[in-house]
């Protein structure tokens, strides 16, 4: 059975801190790994990673995939209160479904 | 607005009842996915439809069923509801369902079974 594990499950930091969120996976037929941000309702797409070692970057957020060690990290630098959300990692495998991890609840305090 | 429309936004119903959740995918998207998000289980894949046909099935209970209509909207039917069915139900859509290019999620339907 495909499995995605995120850590930590929750994290509280102060504005300006840098955070690293972890995602490890055990799946058959890996195709890509995706990161989502979930605030109040719908998860919103952040990154899709398919190739190992290539960093994806968007503003203060960046992510990288290690296909040999089967994990990904999501970095957020200079955190702001608006970064408070649940960050979801998901792996796309054959059969077109996404298997999600439990998510990391990030709280950024002023 | 993501372009994926789910109705209703909130639903409160009693145990044993049946409800229907509706999803209209983003314009041009042929594939619809249903996910359940409970407090203790994260996002769980239920079922996928592509252009009217069932494409993949996840951990969907026998009491639940879904379909996708010719106009591509989809409905998720939940019957004989139990307290444990209380959750956020998300619909997502994608263009072809085969490449996983970051689904677009709807805002969800929050179901409360009392």
């Amino acid at each position: 059975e495909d499995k995605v594990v995120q850590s930590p499950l929750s994290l509280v930091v102060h504005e300006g801190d840098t955070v690293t969120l972890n995602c490890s996976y055990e799946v058959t037929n890996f195709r890509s790994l995706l990161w989502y941000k979930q605030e109040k309702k719908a998860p919103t797409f952040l990154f899709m990673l398919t190739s190992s070692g290539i960093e994806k970057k968007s503003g203060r957020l960046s992510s990288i995939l290690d296909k040999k060690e089967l994990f990904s990290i999501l970095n957020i630098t200079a955190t702001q209160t608006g970064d408070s959300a649940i960050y979801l990692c998901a792996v796309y495998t054959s059969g077109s479904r996404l298997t999600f991890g439990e998510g990391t609840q990030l709280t950024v305090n002023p | 607005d993501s372009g994926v429309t789910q109705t209703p936004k909130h639903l409160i119903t009693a145990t044993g009842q049946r409800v229907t959740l509706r999803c209209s995918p983003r314009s041009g998207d042929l594939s619809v996915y249903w996910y359940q998000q409970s407090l203790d289980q994260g996002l769980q894949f239920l079922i996928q439809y592509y252009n009217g046909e069932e494409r993949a099935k996840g951990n969907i209970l026998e009491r639940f069923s879904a379909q996708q209509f010719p106009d591509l909207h989809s409905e998720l039917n939940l019957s004989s509801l139990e307290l444990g069915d209380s959750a956020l139900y998300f619909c997502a859509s994608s263009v072809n369902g085969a490449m996983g290019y970051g689904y677009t999620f709807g805002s969800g339907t929050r179901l409360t079974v009392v």
Side-chain angles (χ1 to χ4, degrees), chain B:
Chain B
D1 182 7
S2 68
V4 178
T5 304
Q6 286 189 250
T7 56
K9 292 193 188 309
H10 302 276
L11 199 49
I12 301 175
T13 190
T15 53
Q17 294 298 305
R18 172 190 168 97
V19 297
T20 297
L21 312 184
R22 183 188 167 103
C23 169
S24 294
R26 204 176 46 168
S27 178
D29 286 357
L30 300 177
S31 203
V32 168
Y33 310 79
W34 287 97
Y35 282 81
Q36 178 192 56
Q37 187 175 36
S38 306
L39 272 176
D40 58 348
Q41 289 198 354
L43 271 158
Q44 300 288 319
F45 171 73
L46 295 178
I47 198 164
Q48 178 205 357
Y49 279 83
Y50 176 73
N51 204 20
E53 293 191 4
E54 183 183 303
R55 173 69 71 89
K57 214 166 188 175
N59 300 322
I60 187 166
L61 299 171
E62 283 190 19
R63 301 183 284 109
F64 296 1
S65 65
Q67 54 184 328
Q68 186 179 27
F69 295 88
D71 67 352
L72 301 177
H73 91 271
S74 177
E75 293 181 355
L76 178 67
N77 300 297
L78 316 176
S79 62
S80 303
L81 284 167
E82 301 174 359
L83 295 178
D85 297 327
S86 296
L88 256 175
Y89 290 84
F90 285 106
C91 168
S93 72
S94 67
V95 170
N96 58 22
M99 293 297 292
Y101 282 121
Y103 303 166
T104 301
F105 281 87
S107 296
T109 293
R110 181 170 291 284
L111 174 66
T112 303
V113 182
V114 297

Side-chain angles (χ1 to χ4, degrees), chain A residues 26-97:
Chain A
E26 288 180 36
V27 302
T28 53
N29 297 314
F30 173 90
R31 292 199 175 188
S32 57
L33 185 144
L34 294 88
W35 284 96
Y36 284 86
K37 178 182 181 182
Q38 186 177 22
E39 296 177 87
K40 291 184 180 175
K41 280 287 185 75
T44 53
F45 174 75
L46 293 175
F47 298 112
M48 184 171 77
L49 303 147
T50 53
S51 301
S52 205
I54 297 177
E55 186 183 49
K56 290 279 183 96
K57 201 168 170 63
S58 176
R60 297 176 294 102
L61 276 67
S62 64
S63 183
I64 196 159
L65 174 67
D66 185 327
K67 288 170 76 172
K68 185 179 175 186
E69 300 298 329
L70 308 182
F71 78 90
S72 174
I73 59 172
L74 175 68
N75 280 318
I76 309 175
T77 59
T79 51
Q80 303 171 356
T81 55
D83 295 327
S84 296
I86 298 172
Y87 289 84
L88 297 165
C89 172
V91 174
Y92 170 63
T93 63
S94 60
S96 67
R97 73 177 66 181

